[in-house]
Amino acid sequence: RFIQILLTLPVMFGPVGCQKRFDKQAMTPAIDGSTGDAPRPAALRAFYSGHSLSDGIPEVIATLAAARGKAWEHVVQSSPGSLLRERATMQGAFDVLVATERHDLPYTAYHEGTAAHLYELHARHMRSNPNGRTWLYHVWMSGARTAPAAFVEYERRALQLWECVASKVNRMNAAHGTAGRVLVLPGATALADLVHDVVANTVPGIA
């Protein structure tokens, strides 16, 4: 389930704002399995700004897209353990922007100005492509192996923090007349669900 969710993150629609529950029905992939002789569309271009917890995902999505005959290009800006403010730069026009903050979001949101720097990056993205999409990728804290129950509980609750950051950026968009909205990609929520199911011994092939 976790891999399936990650593969569809850049093209799905998700929740925005401070919601009490994450709507899993919003995770329907926008990529279909249709085939035919229609001309292939121009490649979807994505810009990823992240760190070690988001590394590798663009390459997996590119492989999936190629297997389905979809054109996909991506540029990755990554630095281990980095803050969003250290990566709030982007050159060129893209269809998709996927950005993340360091995993300790309660601290970074308050002390490092996550919302302000995400708005700056989103606004730059919208100036280059007003029809683009922006996603805030929810990454996770450590503890999945050593304290799985606490990990699952924390990450399920922490999703609301990431949604609140996206909601704040969207209010800034409205105040400044900036196009587009920031949506949350619930990577840590997917991982928490997987950890929960593994511990419950309900994942086929994993004992």
Side-chain angles (χ1 to χ4, degrees), residues 15-198:
V16 178
C18 304
Q19 301 180 0
K20 293 183 179 180
R21 294 189 61 185
F22 172 64
D23 181 8
K24 294 185 179 180
Q25 293 181 347
M27 297 171 61
T28 303
I31 294 180
D32 59 41
S34 61
T35 59
D37 298 327
R40 293 183 61 180
L44 186 72
R45 303 189 70 239
F47 183 89
Y48 287 80
S49 178
H51 42 65
S52 58
L53 292 179
S54 56
D55 287 349
I57 293 176
E59 291 77 11
V60 173
I61 295 175
T63 300
L64 176 68
R68 297 189 176 189
K70 306 294 182 179
W72 173 270
E73 298 175 359
H74 62 269
V75 173
V76 177
Q77 178 192 57
S78 179
S79 179
S82 61
L83 293 161
L84 179 60
R85 66 172 174 79
E86 298 172 315
R87 298 178 271 101
T89 60
M90 180 177 66
Q91 295 182 348
F94 297 88
D95 302 294
V96 178
L97 165 63
V98 181
T100 192
E101 181 56 281
R102 202 170 63 189
H103 62 282
D104 52 334
L105 185 63
Y107 175 90
T108 56
Y110 186 80
H111 295 283
E112 302 292 348
T114 299
H117 293 295
L118 180 57
Y119 170 75
E120 177 184 343
L121 195 58
H122 169 76
R124 184 177 293 113
H125 176 43
M126 290 296 100
R127 286 194 295 269
S128 63
N129 182 4
N131 296 318
R133 300 177 185 175
T134 299
W135 307 90
L136 174 62
Y137 182 40
H138 174 195
V139 294
W140 48 90
M141 300 284 279
S142 60
R145 294 183 179 181
T146 57
F151 171 83
V152 170
E153 180 180 7
Y154 173 81
E155 292 301 346
R156 286 176 172 173
R157 295 187 178 210
L159 175 61
Q160 296 182 44
L161 295 174
W162 294 78
E163 290 176 340
C164 285
V165 170
S167 181
K168 183 174 181 179
V169 175
N170 290 327
R171 291 195 297 271
M172 296 170 72
N173 289 337
H176 296 286
T178 304
R181 302 181 72 191
V182 175
L183 309 177
V184 175
L185 296 181
T189 305
L191 181 57
D193 285 350
L194 177 62
V195 171
H196 174 272
D197 292 349
V198 169

